[in-house]
Amino acid sequence: MNNDIYLDNSATTPVSEEVIEAMLPYWQVEYGNASSLHSFGRRAHIAMEESRARLAASLSASEREIIFTASASEANNLAIKGLAFSGINKYHIITSQIEHPSVGKVCQWLEKQGFTVTYLPVDQEGMVDPDELAATITDDTLLVTIMYGNNEIGTVQPISQIAEICREQGVIFHTDAVQAYGKIPLALENVDMLSATAHKLHGPKGVGMLYLRRGIKLSPLIHGGGHERGLRSGTENIAGIVGFAKAVEIAFAEMEVLRDRLEGFREQLIETITAIPKTKLNGQRKGSLPHITNISFMAIEGESLVMKLDEHGIATSTGSACSSPNLEPSHVLLAIGTPIVMAHGSLRISTGRRTTQEEIDRFLTILPQVVEELREISPFKINT
Amino acid sequence: MYSEKVIEHFRNPHNKGRLEKYSAIGKVGNIACGDVMWLYIKVGRNANDEEIIEDISWETFGCTAAIATSSMVTEIAKGKTLKEAAAIQNKEVADTLGGLPPVKMHCSLLAVDALSEAIYNYLQAKGDVIPEVLVKRHAHVEKESKEFDERYSSLMSKSN
């Protein structure tokens, strides 16, 4: 339906026309294996290395420091497990309570393997306290891994401060930058590892990357033919890699303009929605990722809110317990101190490159009606 | 994930809202997911002079499945004798909805508990003999309600 309004760009994004165009030759014309000696292979190899150079440039890194993976989840796993099993005799990891599961669950698994993990709390806006982090580092600390911008509430961490502390203390620092990369300028001076993915930036699904500072040794997760300097075996996804680079090129060229536009949408969303009685913004008021807005509605449940909006062709998401497979409310919302009842009524609205002013206006007309409808059938009456 | 029937009842729920005149309410909450259901019954009599559910409605704070099961349990119970209504099983509610995802089966249990509670409260207020199945369900609901009240105290105090 052409009238549909997609406001779930933190989940994934539509692939841009230019990206599809850039990828097209690499299925039927330039389909070579980048490891082959012949001209097909050489051309595939060149396309891959040009793409790698583009990604490296976006991070002011060198080509050698970019490792392609099949997802950001894989990049996070490679960074954390790869370092944990690299032979360094340190067994303490510091992370936060609001990480993506591809970091959080890896840390939990490493605890079962004998590692000690500190899960730093966050404040009401979702910020890690750098001083608290500094105080947690010990001689045994191997790694600090803190996400750049949060995927549920959009909070941006003081990464340059955290990375500097880690550098001073001689601890390796990794950041999951999936939601922040290509959306806001990143401060990477003391960052040792960074994970990102193409499909959050209007690129294809199935391709991610790990930036790995030169000199840091990892143990691979996938052994085999020795691709990606032995760190990630498996024939490279050339079309995906080319698409990733194209998406990044566009994202960086458009960043400032798009950021301003999405910040404008965010302002409008917050102003209008929090004017509805008994609502609360989750996350930062200022300084947040521009594309994520998370708001809780008292007395209604998030899954039914998402489904009601879906009825109107509007795609959003929620951190409600009802929407999770284990019936637990979002760990991020609980970590910022959201009462369970408010976590239950949370709605994440995430905008993107294609989001229009007209769509935001239409969404903001429909949302209050839907909220009213659900509050009407709720036993809890909101006195307005 | 959800059946067509579930979506249909979610979009156009039957018997929603609060009855103007009701004989009893059943209030239940689900500790697992946090959903809350209030079910209202108005008791009348049929031609055989048996007590029946003459009218029924609900108010629910919960997910798609919770709203659809609220709608369906009231559809099934409407017009039934109290004895028949007390015998409704959650599986019947789920099956009539074309099935529920396994993780959502507890919603159908919540719906049946709410109905049972309403009948229980009605019979108790009247001083009638309460069938054992209702006594058992009531004990279960009571057990869960304490933790629940604490969790939702902020909302309860604001409700009418």
Side-chain angles (χ1 to χ4, degrees), chain A residues 12-69:
Chain A
T12 195
T13 55
V15 181
S16 299
E17 280 300 325
E18 305 95 301
V19 171
I20 293 174
E21 232 167 82
M23 291 171 74
L24 268 180
Y26 295 93
W27 275 297
Q28 285 191 302
V29 184
E30 299 295 354
Y31 49 81
N33 182 326
S35 301
S36 300
L37 285 174
H38 46 64
S39 63
F40 290 86
R42 289 200 301 276
R43 288 195 297 271
H45 184 79
I46 288 167
M48 178 171 78
E49 291 313 312
E50 281 176 0
S51 302
R52 196 189 304 277
R54 196 166 277 165
L55 294 186
S58 76
L59 297 167
S60 305
S62 78
E63 288 93 323
R64 282 177 54 86
E65 296 175 311
I66 304 297
I67 313 295
F68 288 117
T69 63

Side-chain angles (χ1 to χ4, degrees), chain A residues 278 298-301 303-304 307-308 311 321-322 325 327 340-341 344 374 376-381 383, chain B residues 2 7 10-11 16 32-36 38 59-64 67 103-104 106 152 155-156 158 160:
Chain A
K278 307 289 176 190
M298 206 180 237
I300 58 180
E301 187 282 319
E303 194 223 76
S304 51
M307 291 293 286
K308 273 278 169 207
E311 212 179 308
C322 293
L327 296 178
I340 287 178
V341 61
H344 212 39
L374 286 169
E376 246 176 55
I377 60 169
S378 170
F380 307 122
K381 301 304 173 204
N383 300 323
Chain B
Y2 286 125
I7 300 284
F10 170 68
R11 289 185 174 179
K16 67 176 180 186
C33 66
D35 288 350
V36 178
W38 290 6
E59 290 177 308
T60 294
F61 165 59
C63 66
T64 307
I67 289 169
V103 71
K104 296 290 185 182
H106 68 271
Y152 284 92
L155 277 178
M156 298 289 187
K158 286 182 187 68
N160 295 328

Side-chain angles (χ1 to χ4, degrees), chain B residues 98-109:
Chain B
L100 283 172
V103 71
K104 296 290 185 182
M105 277 305 284
H106 68 271
C107 293
S108 59
L109 209 54

Side-chain angles (χ1 to χ4, degrees), chain A residues 67-84 93 95 99-107 109-110 143-149 151 174-179 193-197 200 208-211 218-219 221:
Chain A
I67 313 295
F68 288 117
T69 63
S71 65
S73 286
E74 187 193 333
N76 284 336
N77 272 262
L78 176 59
I80 302 168
K81 288 183 200 161
L83 188 70
I93 294 169
T95 186
E99 297 297 313
H100 186 271
S102 62
V103 168
K105 290 274 165 75
V106 172
C107 289
W109 181 80
L110 282 173
L143 171 73
V144 172
T145 173
I146 305 284
M147 74 196 326
Y148 213 111
N151 53 308
H174 165 256
T175 185
D176 170 0
V178 164
Q179 296 289 347
M193 296 191 276
L194 174 147
S195 308
T197 189
K200 311 284 193 197
M209 71 150 165
L210 178 67
Y211 158 75
L218 298 182
S219 173
L221 302 178

Side-chain angles (χ1 to χ4, degrees), chain A residues 66-344:
Chain A
I66 304 297
I67 313 295
F68 288 117
T69 63
S71 65
S73 286
E74 187 193 333
N76 284 336
N77 272 262
L78 176 59
I80 302 168
K81 288 183 200 161
L83 188 70
F85 293 103
S86 65
I88 300 173
N89 220 6
K90 292 182 175 182
Y91 300 95
H92 177 228
I93 294 169
I94 300 171
T95 186
S96 82
Q97 290 178 1
I98 61 165
E99 297 297 313
H100 186 271
S102 62
V103 168
K105 290 274 165 75
V106 172
C107 289
Q108 287 170 22
W109 181 80
L110 282 173
E111 283 185 281
K112 288 186 195 150
Q113 313 306 314
F115 286 79
T116 307
V117 180
T118 303
Y119 300 89
L120 290 172
V122 291
D123 68 14
Q124 289 197 331
E125 290 197 334
M127 299 280 275
V128 167
D129 178 358
D131 292 335
E132 193 175 355
L133 183 141
T136 315
I137 294 175
T138 71
D139 291 344
D140 194 38
T141 305
L142 170 71
L143 171 73
V144 172
T145 173
I146 305 284
M147 74 196 326
Y148 213 111
N150 186 267
N151 53 308
E152 293 186 36
I153 58 173
T155 298
V156 175
Q157 299 298 334
I159 291 297
S160 71
Q161 221 180 324
I162 291 172
E164 197 184 329
I165 291 167
C166 293
R167 180 58 54 85
E168 278 168 6
Q169 306 271 339
V171 177
I172 293 171
F173 177 67
H174 165 256
T175 185
D176 170 0
V178 164
Q179 296 289 347
Y181 177 62
K183 302 277 172 49
I184 58 170
L186 303 183
L188 298 171
E189 208 184 328
N190 295 307
V191 172
D192 297 307
M193 296 191 276
L194 174 147
S195 308
T197 189
H199 77 103
K200 311 284 193 197
L201 291 170
H202 303 276
K205 294 169 183 64
V207 56
M209 71 150 165
L210 178 67
Y211 158 75
L212 176 64
R213 185 182 290 280
R214 191 183 293 221
I216 298 172
K217 299 267 180 292
L218 298 182
S219 173
L221 302 178
I222 302 175
H223 298 82
H227 307 76
E228 297 300 297
R229 300 184 21 252
L231 284 172
R232 207 281 181 180
S233 287
T235 299
E236 296 92 345
N237 171 9
I238 304 298
I241 288 168
V242 167
F244 192 178
K246 189 70 189 173
V248 165
E249 184 191 321
I250 298 168
F252 277 76
E254 287 182 351
M255 190 190 289
E256 226 172 297
V257 175
L258 186 61
R259 189 188 181 190
D260 279 354
R261 189 160 89 229
L262 300 190
E263 273 177 352
F265 290 159
R266 190 172 191 269
E267 273 304 306
Q268 191 188 347
L269 288 166
I270 294 172
E271 287 292 322
T272 314
I273 301 172
T274 56
I276 300 173
K278 307 289 176 190
T279 51
K280 186 187 163 287
L281 174 72
N282 299 312
Q284 289 170 298
R285 183 68 181 81
K286 299 277 177 198
S288 162
L289 290 174
H291 63 295
I292 297 177
T293 309
N294 190 311
I295 293 178
S296 284
F297 299 81
M298 206 180 237
I300 58 180
E301 187 282 319
E303 194 223 76
S304 51
L305 184 53
V306 167
M307 291 293 286
K308 273 278 169 207
L309 289 167
D310 182 53
E311 212 179 308
H312 293 270
I314 299 168
T316 54
S317 72
T318 175
S320 159
C322 293
S323 69
S324 81
N326 52 9
L327 296 178
E328 278 167 19
S330 147
H331 67 290
V332 177
L333 294 176
L334 295 185
I336 62 170
T338 310
I340 287 178
V341 61
M342 284 299 261
H344 212 39

Side-chain angles (χ1 to χ4, degrees), chain B residues 58-131:
Chain B
W58 54 269
E59 290 177 308
T60 294
F61 165 59
C63 66
T64 307
I67 289 169
T69 52
S70 305
S71 172
M72 187 51 86
V73 79
T74 53
E75 273 301 282
I76 295 173
K78 203 183 234 175
K80 284 203 161 54
T81 65
L82 292 190
K83 202 178 158 196
E84 287 165 343
I88 294 170
Q89 298 289 318
N90 73 302
K91 196 177 173 303
E92 183 187 352
V93 177
D95 287 349
T96 317
L97 281 168
L100 283 172
V103 71
K104 296 290 185 182
M105 277 305 284
H106 68 271
C107 293
S108 59
L109 209 54
L110 191 69
V112 167
D113 280 351
L115 175 62
S116 304
E117 272 300 279
I119 302 172
Y120 178 96
N121 288 336
Y122 172 75
L123 295 175
Q124 201 197 36
K126 225 177 126 207
D128 274 8
V129 180
I130 302 170

